[in-house]
Amino acid sequence: MKTCPVIVIGHVDHGKTSLVRALTGMETDRLPEEKARGLSITPGFAYRQCGDVMVDFIDAPGHEDFVRAMVSGASGARAALLVISAADGVQAQTLEHLQIVESLGIHEAIVAVTKSDRLPNTEHATREAELRAALSGTRYHDAQIIFCSSTTGQGIGALGDALGHLGLGSTGTEPVSAAFLPVDRVFVAQGRGTVVTGTLRGGSIRVDDALVLASKQRSTTIRGIQVRGQETSQANPGERVALNLRGIAAIEIKPGDIVHAPDTFAPSSQCDVSISLSPSARRPLKHMQQVRVMHGTAHSVASLRLFEGEQLSPGASAFARLRFPAAITNFAGQHAIIRCLSPAETIGGAIILDPFAASNKASKKQRLETLKAAQLGDTRGIAAALAREHMGIARITDICRLARSPAASVREELAAMFIDVTDTLVAESSTVEEVKEAYIARLQSYHATCLLKPLAPRAHMHVPHTAQALIELVEAMLVLEGKLVISGTDVALPTHAPLHYLTVQQQERMACMAAKLKESGLAPPAPDTFITGPDDADLLALLIHEGTAIRLNNVSLRQSLAFHADAIAAAARTLRSAYPGQTSFTTGEARSTLKTTRKFIVPILEHLDSRGTTIRTGDTRYMADV
């Protein structure tokens, strides 16, 4: 059976509670103070089966002092029942409640004209015309109007039928798929422990499911579930639920908290929104103004930062960032109410576009592009805009959050225009091609400037304003395409041949250097005596690149040493001859055998270890099998 939560709204004393009692036979005023004063203070709850729809009524307080409670009760509602007294007509709180439910994204409504027994039938048409005029500026201008009386029962059956039809057609505006419960009541049930209640949003929950208390990031599990006072094994979105929780005390939870499915939501102290200021607002909303934000069953004071301009005029909309003094938990697509702090009045509404708006170095223009795409629900546009914000890459989790879609759907949507950078990052295919071209251009420029250098430092090839992960992807792709050679921290074009650019003098100097290294054997010359000419460092790098020389490092002495490759190969042959099979030898024994010093033997042996020529076990080595 389909469920439809309906928020019952209207001016104080217009008969909301009496109407709900007439529809359901249930009393929603439960507090002694409410019964004594005949005034609803907190939301009340009742239900009735209307045809094929189970309607959950949320009886909202009508007094202006309890607007917070009214907004809290409307959290998760999919339709509204606007109650207007036939005797009094539209009043101040009627209009504010209409503004609130409209800002909360509640699109469906029925108007119940109560106390109709006090109004002659001949005046019904006049009253209806007045109501149509009052509703003309709202999305409820064509709402069904039903005259009824809780005292005589007039119209109650027709109202029930209308609510059933409304519920069948109501789809709600659920932009979230995981279980999300804004808590409106917390208490201890004798023999059971902690119980929380609220209107479930997002996904279904079952007994023994794990949940998280958002405010404390505490894990808990569901011991029991009640829906409309009956034990059940499962609760579905839109239903009023009471959850008996394990492992958490009632004192740790308060109304306004969130319990939600694990690994689905994250607390944040700022969120980006689309905000709309009511045409009836008394004054513009200013950049950096403090406002009260009512979201779910919670409310918080936030600093409003407009992305464009210094103020927002009545009736206008804009993108803004809300900064809270403490982290809150919301979801993309959630509606919120904006109220002025003084005087305390509702001035507009907001839709959360990014509930986790982390600060970054992106420009306001880039951020606005992202928010506009999020507002349109354009998954590709969101991914492209996020990538521009983050130096060419976008996280799948960020795209999913703003697009309000699961990862599988997002990846399918992006497949034609985006490629995976890593398991969690994507980039536009066009951007990848642009970075590849820029990378090759930078490397070509380096080679043209430094003709004798066989390799270029990878760090110098970093394309500006490009994420490192994207650079690494581009390098891997270029290697696979045969357009790049990577050697440790250096890179080169396969076509770069520095030997072709050597002058006769440089060729002769290079040959001389090679001969000197060969002559030096295992006692290479000191760098300050070997590197003396302006090109010598580049020529030595060429000898090493060509395999004629080998560069070794003595880490303890912080020295870089160059040996002729033949000298190292001869050393390996000498050791193999002196220590055949798996005969072990120490560093000192190898030094004596090779007739060199500790300064040179340590890097030589470490090099042989790295090549697999020798195998080290503790303080000794032996020669590996050929």
PDB file of all heavy atoms in Angstrom, residues 527-550:
ATOM      1  N   PRO A 527      84.598  14.323  -8.533  1.00  0.00           N
ATOM      2  CA  PRO A 527      83.818  15.140  -9.471  1.00  0.00           C
ATOM      3  C   PRO A 527      84.461  16.477  -9.787  1.00  0.00           C
ATOM      4  O   PRO A 527      84.419  16.940 -10.932  1.00  0.00           O
ATOM      5  CB  PRO A 527      82.482  15.320  -8.732  1.00  0.00           C
ATOM      6  CG  PRO A 527      82.369  14.125  -7.859  1.00  0.00           C
ATOM      7  CD  PRO A 527      83.766  13.823  -7.419  1.00  0.00           C
ATOM      8  N   ASP A 528      85.108  17.125  -8.780  1.00  0.00           N
ATOM      9  CA  ASP A 528      85.663  18.450  -9.038  1.00  0.00           C
ATOM     10  C   ASP A 528      86.894  18.412  -9.938  1.00  0.00           C
ATOM     11  O   ASP A 528      87.302  19.434 -10.495  1.00  0.00           O
ATOM     12  CB  ASP A 528      85.982  19.160  -7.730  1.00  0.00           C
ATOM     13  CG  ASP A 528      86.959  18.381  -6.857  1.00  0.00           C
ATOM     14  OD1 ASP A 528      87.203  17.204  -7.146  1.00  0.00           O
ATOM     15  OD2 ASP A 528      87.476  18.965  -5.882  1.00  0.00           O
ATOM     16  N   THR A 529      87.475  17.238 -10.084  1.00  0.00           N
ATOM     17  CA  THR A 529      88.612  17.114 -10.997  1.00  0.00           C
ATOM     18  C   THR A 529      88.197  16.520 -12.334  1.00  0.00           C
ATOM     19  O   THR A 529      88.950  16.594 -13.304  1.00  0.00           O
ATOM     20  CB  THR A 529      89.704  16.210 -10.376  1.00  0.00           C
ATOM     21  OG1 THR A 529      89.176  14.884 -10.212  1.00  0.00           O
ATOM     22  CG2 THR A 529      90.166  16.763  -9.040  1.00  0.00           C
ATOM     23  N   PHE A 530      87.025  15.955 -12.372  1.00  0.00           N
ATOM     24  CA  PHE A 530      86.562  15.271 -13.575  1.00  0.00           C
ATOM     25  C   PHE A 530      85.627  16.171 -14.391  1.00  0.00           C
ATOM     26  O   PHE A 530      85.687  16.198 -15.615  1.00  0.00           O
ATOM     27  CB  PHE A 530      85.845  13.989 -13.168  1.00  0.00           C
ATOM     28  CG  PHE A 530      85.459  13.102 -14.315  1.00  0.00           C
ATOM     29  CD1 PHE A 530      86.430  12.559 -15.149  1.00  0.00           C
ATOM     30  CD2 PHE A 530      84.126  12.793 -14.575  1.00  0.00           C
ATOM     31  CE1 PHE A 530      86.087  11.727 -16.218  1.00  0.00           C
ATOM     32  CE2 PHE A 530      83.781  11.962 -15.625  1.00  0.00           C
ATOM     33  CZ  PHE A 530      84.763  11.426 -16.448  1.00  0.00           C
ATOM     34  N   ILE A 531      84.725  16.892 -13.699  1.00  0.00           N
ATOM     35  CA  ILE A 531      83.789  17.799 -14.364  1.00  0.00           C
ATOM     36  C   ILE A 531      84.393  19.183 -14.341  1.00  0.00           C
ATOM     37  O   ILE A 531      84.304  19.920 -13.353  1.00  0.00           O
ATOM     38  CB  ILE A 531      82.406  17.803 -13.663  1.00  0.00           C
ATOM     39  CG1 ILE A 531      81.868  16.385 -13.534  1.00  0.00           C
ATOM     40  CG2 ILE A 531      81.430  18.701 -14.393  1.00  0.00           C
ATOM     41  CD1 ILE A 531      81.595  15.707 -14.848  1.00  0.00           C
ATOM     42  N   THR A 532      85.063  19.552 -15.427  1.00  0.00           N
ATOM     43  CA  THR A 532      85.777  20.837 -15.462  1.00  0.00           C
ATOM     44  C   THR A 532      85.282  21.755 -16.563  1.00  0.00           C
ATOM     45  O   THR A 532      85.368  22.974 -16.443  1.00  0.00           O
ATOM     46  CB  THR A 532      87.288  20.591 -15.643  1.00  0.00           C
ATOM     47  OG1 THR A 532      87.488  19.831 -16.847  1.00  0.00           O
ATOM     48  CG2 THR A 532      87.867  19.830 -14.455  1.00  0.00           C
ATOM     49  N   GLY A 533      84.766  21.217 -17.658  1.00  0.00           N
ATOM     50  CA  GLY A 533      84.305  22.034 -18.766  1.00  0.00           C
ATOM     51  C   GLY A 533      82.827  22.341 -18.683  1.00  0.00           C
ATOM     52  O   GLY A 533      82.086  21.704 -17.930  1.00  0.00           O
ATOM     53  N   PRO A 534      82.350  23.340 -19.443  1.00  0.00           N
ATOM     54  CA  PRO A 534      80.930  23.742 -19.376  1.00  0.00           C
ATOM     55  C   PRO A 534      79.965  22.650 -19.824  1.00  0.00           C
ATOM     56  O   PRO A 534      78.817  22.626 -19.401  1.00  0.00           O
ATOM     57  CB  PRO A 534      80.871  24.960 -20.314  1.00  0.00           C
ATOM     58  CG  PRO A 534      82.035  24.805 -21.236  1.00  0.00           C
ATOM     59  CD  PRO A 534      83.106  24.141 -20.419  1.00  0.00           C
ATOM     60  N   ASP A 535      80.423  21.725 -20.671  1.00  0.00           N
ATOM     61  CA  ASP A 535      79.545  20.665 -21.164  1.00  0.00           C
ATOM     62  C   ASP A 535      79.766  19.329 -20.461  1.00  0.00           C
ATOM     63  O   ASP A 535      79.081  18.342 -20.771  1.00  0.00           O
ATOM     64  CB  ASP A 535      79.754  20.459 -22.672  1.00  0.00           C
ATOM     65  CG  ASP A 535      79.407  21.700 -23.486  1.00  0.00           C
ATOM     66  OD1 ASP A 535      78.490  22.427 -23.068  1.00  0.00           O
ATOM     67  OD2 ASP A 535      80.052  21.910 -24.529  1.00  0.00           O
ATOM     68  N   ASP A 536      80.737  19.279 -19.542  1.00  0.00           N
ATOM     69  CA  ASP A 536      81.131  17.986 -18.970  1.00  0.00           C
ATOM     70  C   ASP A 536      79.989  17.273 -18.247  1.00  0.00           C
ATOM     71  O   ASP A 536      79.845  16.047 -18.348  1.00  0.00           O
ATOM     72  CB  ASP A 536      82.317  18.168 -18.019  1.00  0.00           C
ATOM     73  CG  ASP A 536      83.632  18.349 -18.780  1.00  0.00           C
ATOM     74  OD1 ASP A 536      83.590  18.333 -20.027  1.00  0.00           O
ATOM     75  OD2 ASP A 536      84.673  18.508 -18.126  1.00  0.00           O
ATOM     76  N   ALA A 537      79.166  18.016 -17.501  1.00  0.00           N
ATOM     77  CA  ALA A 537      78.066  17.380 -16.767  1.00  0.00           C
ATOM     78  C   ALA A 537      77.088  16.723 -17.740  1.00  0.00           C
ATOM     79  O   ALA A 537      76.630  15.590 -17.516  1.00  0.00           O
ATOM     80  CB  ALA A 537      77.344  18.405 -15.892  1.00  0.00           C
ATOM     81  N   ASP A 538      76.792  17.418 -18.849  1.00  0.00           N
ATOM     82  CA  ASP A 538      75.886  16.847 -19.841  1.00  0.00           C
ATOM     83  C   ASP A 538      76.529  15.657 -20.547  1.00  0.00           C
ATOM     84  O   ASP A 538      75.855  14.662 -20.849  1.00  0.00           O
ATOM     85  CB  ASP A 538      75.496  17.903 -20.871  1.00  0.00           C
ATOM     86  CG  ASP A 538      74.533  18.936 -20.303  1.00  0.00           C
ATOM     87  OD1 ASP A 538      73.890  18.634 -19.265  1.00  0.00           O
ATOM     88  OD2 ASP A 538      74.409  20.033 -20.879  1.00  0.00           O
ATOM     89  N   LEU A 539      77.825  15.750 -20.812  1.00  0.00           N
ATOM     90  CA  LEU A 539      78.512  14.655 -21.487  1.00  0.00           C
ATOM     91  C   LEU A 539      78.576  13.412 -20.601  1.00  0.00           C
ATOM     92  O   LEU A 539      78.417  12.280 -21.080  1.00  0.00           O
ATOM     93  CB  LEU A 539      79.924  15.090 -21.900  1.00  0.00           C
ATOM     94  CG  LEU A 539      79.977  16.207 -22.954  1.00  0.00           C
ATOM     95  CD1 LEU A 539      81.415  16.640 -23.203  1.00  0.00           C
ATOM     96  CD2 LEU A 539      79.325  15.757 -24.263  1.00  0.00           C
ATOM     97  N   LEU A 540      78.796  13.619 -19.298  1.00  0.00           N
ATOM     98  CA  LEU A 540      78.783  12.482 -18.365  1.00  0.00           C
ATOM     99  C   LEU A 540      77.381  11.853 -18.325  1.00  0.00           C
ATOM    100  O   LEU A 540      77.238  10.628 -18.305  1.00  0.00           O
ATOM    101  CB  LEU A 540      79.207  12.932 -16.970  1.00  0.00           C
ATOM    102  CG  LEU A 540      79.152  11.859 -15.880  1.00  0.00           C
ATOM    103  CD1 LEU A 540      80.030  10.661 -16.241  1.00  0.00           C
ATOM    104  CD2 LEU A 540      79.537  12.432 -14.515  1.00  0.00           C
ATOM    105  N   ALA A 541      76.344  12.699 -18.311  1.00  0.00           N
ATOM    106  CA  ALA A 541      74.964  12.183 -18.311  1.00  0.00           C
ATOM    107  C   ALA A 541      74.717  11.345 -19.568  1.00  0.00           C
ATOM    108  O   ALA A 541      74.022  10.322 -19.523  1.00  0.00           O
ATOM    109  CB  ALA A 541      73.970  13.334 -18.231  1.00  0.00           C
ATOM    110  N   LEU A 542      75.302  11.770 -20.692  1.00  0.00           N
ATOM    111  CA  LEU A 542      75.165  10.993 -21.919  1.00  0.00           C
ATOM    112  C   LEU A 542      75.873   9.651 -21.813  1.00  0.00           C
ATOM    113  O   LEU A 542      75.358   8.617 -22.260  1.00  0.00           O
ATOM    114  CB  LEU A 542      75.739  11.782 -23.100  1.00  0.00           C
ATOM    115  CG  LEU A 542      74.773  12.736 -23.813  1.00  0.00           C
ATOM    116  CD1 LEU A 542      75.516  13.555 -24.862  1.00  0.00           C
ATOM    117  CD2 LEU A 542      73.636  11.953 -24.449  1.00  0.00           C
ATOM    118  N   LEU A 543      77.078   9.639 -21.217  1.00  0.00           N
ATOM    119  CA  LEU A 543      77.807   8.381 -21.021  1.00  0.00           C
ATOM    120  C   LEU A 543      76.990   7.415 -20.158  1.00  0.00           C
ATOM    121  O   LEU A 543      76.950   6.209 -20.432  1.00  0.00           O
ATOM    122  CB  LEU A 543      79.169   8.660 -20.369  1.00  0.00           C
ATOM    123  CG  LEU A 543      80.237   9.302 -21.266  1.00  0.00           C
ATOM    124  CD1 LEU A 543      81.438   9.717 -20.423  1.00  0.00           C
ATOM    125  CD2 LEU A 543      80.663   8.329 -22.373  1.00  0.00           C
ATOM    126  N   ILE A 544      76.368   7.953 -19.127  1.00  0.00           N
ATOM    127  CA  ILE A 544      75.538   7.115 -18.247  1.00  0.00           C
ATOM    128  C   ILE A 544      74.296   6.634 -18.998  1.00  0.00           C
ATOM    129  O   ILE A 544      73.910   5.463 -18.916  1.00  0.00           O
ATOM    130  CB  ILE A 544      75.150   7.905 -16.980  1.00  0.00           C
ATOM    131  CG1 ILE A 544      76.409   8.184 -16.144  1.00  0.00           C
ATOM    132  CG2 ILE A 544      74.095   7.158 -16.168  1.00  0.00           C
ATOM    133  CD1 ILE A 544      76.199   9.166 -15.019  1.00  0.00           C
ATOM    134  N   HIS A 545      73.679   7.544 -19.758  1.00  0.00           N
ATOM    135  CA  HIS A 545      72.472   7.197 -20.511  1.00  0.00           C
ATOM    136  C   HIS A 545      72.765   6.100 -21.542  1.00  0.00           C
ATOM    137  O   HIS A 545      71.949   5.196 -21.764  1.00  0.00           O
ATOM    138  CB  HIS A 545      71.919   8.440 -21.203  1.00  0.00           C
ATOM    139  CG  HIS A 545      70.666   8.197 -21.971  1.00  0.00           C
ATOM    140  ND1 HIS A 545      69.468   7.903 -21.369  1.00  0.00           N
ATOM    141  CD2 HIS A 545      70.414   8.199 -23.319  1.00  0.00           C
ATOM    142  CE1 HIS A 545      68.538   7.732 -22.280  1.00  0.00           C
ATOM    143  NE2 HIS A 545      69.088   7.902 -23.486  1.00  0.00           N
ATOM    144  N   GLU A 546      73.943   6.165 -22.160  1.00  0.00           N
ATOM    145  CA  GLU A 546      74.322   5.187 -23.181  1.00  0.00           C
ATOM    146  C   GLU A 546      74.824   3.874 -22.580  1.00  0.00           C
ATOM    147  O   GLU A 546      75.067   2.908 -23.299  1.00  0.00           O
ATOM    148  CB  GLU A 546      75.402   5.778 -24.087  1.00  0.00           C
ATOM    149  CG  GLU A 546      74.931   6.965 -24.916  1.00  0.00           C
ATOM    150  CD  GLU A 546      73.807   6.592 -25.868  1.00  0.00           C
ATOM    151  OE1 GLU A 546      73.886   5.515 -26.484  1.00  0.00           O
ATOM    152  OE2 GLU A 546      72.838   7.371 -25.979  1.00  0.00           O
ATOM    153  N   GLY A 547      75.010   3.831 -21.250  1.00  0.00           N
ATOM    154  CA  GLY A 547      75.448   2.609 -20.597  1.00  0.00           C
ATOM    155  C   GLY A 547      76.948   2.462 -20.502  1.00  0.00           C
ATOM    156  O   GLY A 547      77.443   1.449 -19.990  1.00  0.00           O
ATOM    157  N   THR A 548      77.691   3.479 -20.971  1.00  0.00           N
ATOM    158  CA  THR A 548      79.158   3.411 -20.879  1.00  0.00           C
ATOM    159  C   THR A 548      79.603   3.608 -19.438  1.00  0.00           C
ATOM    160  O   THR A 548      80.567   2.976 -18.981  1.00  0.00           O
ATOM    161  CB  THR A 548      79.790   4.487 -21.783  1.00  0.00           C
ATOM    162  OG1 THR A 548      79.349   4.287 -23.115  1.00  0.00           O
ATOM    163  CG2 THR A 548      81.305   4.434 -21.724  1.00  0.00           C
ATOM    164  N   ALA A 549      78.896   4.468 -18.720  1.00  0.00           N
ATOM    165  CA  ALA A 549      79.232   4.754 -17.325  1.00  0.00           C
ATOM    166  C   ALA A 549      78.036   4.424 -16.435  1.00  0.00           C
ATOM    167  O   ALA A 549      76.899   4.310 -16.905  1.00  0.00           O
ATOM    168  CB  ALA A 549      79.643   6.218 -17.158  1.00  0.00           C
ATOM    169  N   ILE A 550      78.332   4.274 -15.159  1.00  0.00           N
ATOM    170  CA  ILE A 550      77.288   3.984 -14.160  1.00  0.00           C
ATOM    171  C   ILE A 550      77.440   4.979 -13.021  1.00  0.00           C
ATOM    172  O   ILE A 550      78.559   5.163 -12.499  1.00  0.00           O
ATOM    173  CB  ILE A 550      77.411   2.542 -13.634  1.00  0.00           C
ATOM    174  CG1 ILE A 550      77.195   1.523 -14.764  1.00  0.00           C
ATOM    175  CG2 ILE A 550      76.427   2.297 -12.493  1.00  0.00           C
ATOM    176  CD1 ILE A 550      77.451   0.088 -14.358  1.00  0.00           C
TER     177      ILE A 550
END
